[in-house]
Amino acid sequence: MTTEFQFIAGEYRSGLAFLKLDRKDKRNAINDLMIEELGQFFDNLAPETRAVVVHAEGEHFCAGLDLVERMQNRSTDPLSGIKRSRTWHRVFDQIEHGNVPVISVLKGGVIGGGLELASSTHIRICEASTYFQLPEGQRGIFVGGGASVRVPRIIGAGRVTEMMLTGRRLDAEEGCAMGLGHYLVPDGQGMAKAEELAASVASNSAVSNFAIINGVSRIADMGTSEGFFAESVLASMTAQAGDFKSRTSEFFDQRRRTRDERN
Ligand code: 1HE
């Protein structure tokens, strides 16, 4: 099944959804319509979807906010800017705290809002050409799509401050060493790695996946007591509602078969 949008393209294959940023002539810069389309895509994921892969057309994952549209539609009403920023927050929160894991394939520039999108995904694959940049200081703006919340959780507030002040580029190796990327692959091999990981993640218990993507990041924000309580609820919920018994029995049966074959 294929779903048509103007600036993104969606496709479904074998229980996986593939979302392509499809605006390469503008380096996949995110304008108002594109953020709306991203929201629509994640709001209406096919029910059989077990994992999503986000990737991009062209040489750059995403050049961030569409600065041209932003300059043209500049308003003196501070509330309109807040509303726009809150829309980005809502869409990226749908990605981070939705029902299924999301894997991103990064390459070229992952800049400003591009890093905000990437950091809302759960597994990030960097092709060798990837670089990360937060040039908001140089452009005279501030991040507005969640970077000041999500990126410090990954690399620390000090590093984000330095990135924003200097606007310097972090290359794929440096980004992966800091946790902005989880896998570093040669150019052109990101999609193959993403499909392999997506198939593996999709074979987990859907209930466990839901608990992992919704629980871990939220628990990290909680106090110790609240965190322990939330963890106990998820532990109990997964053990009761998921396919814990059949999966764990199968795991031990398989171990037994392997042991018997060895002896
Ligand atoms: C754009 C944008 C954009 C390219 N908004 N149109 N983001 C930035 O500050 C990044 C700005 N862009 C760049 O640094 C470079 O364009 C790239 C390194 C990404 C790519 O360079 P290159 O040489 O391949 O392409 P180009 O010639 O610079 O750009 C090609 C076209 O894309 C050109 O349009 P054209 O009509 O002249 O062909 C560019 O204008 C257009 N383009 N980037 C609009 N960002 C929620 S808050 C988040 C805040 C931020 O994201 S700040 C970071 C913004």
Side-chain angles (χ1 to χ4, degrees), residues 25-27 63-67 88 112-113 116 131 136 139 144:
D25 56 327
K26 301 291 181 191
R27 308 308 184 249
L65 173 70
D66 185 324
L67 294 166
W88 283 54
E116 295 180 311
Y131 64 88
E136 281 77 2
R139 308 282 179 268

